[in-house]
Amino acid sequence: MHLSEAEWKLMHALWETAPRSARDVHGAVAEETGWAYTTVKTMLDRLVEKGALRSKMRSNQSFYSPSVTQQDARTTALRALLDRAFGGALGGLVAHMADDDELSAKERTEVEALLTRLEQRRKKT
């Protein structure tokens, strides 16, 4: 499932705290986004249609909860990025990140540690 940038904002608010009413979600994102309540409500209902959220009625009010984990959504988004930008090759992404001059020393160390862990896992199998 593909999430737009706007949908990610709503999902983050719900991964942080759920279930939440549309009003609560609006309150969590309104300052950053400037969206009207009706915009948030429409987007939440679309996320329900997509299968990213579930909604439950309580006292004439819908409460929303994620139906996908943050980890699963990240994996799907990363896989889509890999397919579009790197022909599906994780190595291309890692090489690009390693060559990126804007990568901090700490981030480079984290990438190196990740590669070391991956290599150790491969040796075990």
Side-chain angles (χ1 to χ4, degrees):
M1 146 191 15
H2 170 76
L3 296 175
S4 69
E5 187 175 335
E7 290 169 336
W8 276 99
K9 291 182 188 311
L10 298 179
M11 293 300 294
H12 282 294
L14 286 158
W15 283 317
E16 184 179 300
T17 306
R20 278 182 151 178
S21 69
R23 289 245 179 254
D24 289 341
V25 174
H26 176 254
V29 301
E31 187 175 320
E32 176 188 354
T33 64
W35 296 334
Y37 167 78
T38 54
T39 300
V40 170
K41 178 73 168 113
T42 298
M43 291 173 63
L44 289 169
D45 290 338
R46 286 186 184 154
L47 285 165
V48 170
E49 289 173 17
K50 279 184 162 184
L53 296 178
R54 324 179 264 286
S55 95
K56 189 178 237 180
M57 289 295 290
R58 276 194 244 152
S59 304
N60 293 337
Q61 196 173 29
S62 293
F63 283 80
Y64 299 89
S65 297
S67 56
V68 294
T69 66
Q70 189 172 28
Q71 183 64 36
D72 286 345
R74 286 177 175 165
T75 298
T76 300
L78 182 56
R79 179 55 54 199
L81 172 64
L82 283 173
D83 290 344
R84 278 192 321 273
F86 298 95
L90 179 60
L93 172 63
V94 173
H96 177 77
M97 290 175 60
D99 290 339
D100 187 349
D101 290 337
E102 293 185 23
L103 213 57
S104 70
K106 179 182 177 192
E107 290 168 326
R108 284 181 192 273
T109 301
E110 289 171 354
V111 169
E112 289 171 4
L114 172 63
L115 291 173
T116 300
R117 283 195 310 270
L118 288 171
E119 187 60 30
Q120 290 170 348
R121 283 187 204 153
R122 283 192 184 129
K123 287 179 180 177
K124 288 181 182 179
T125 57

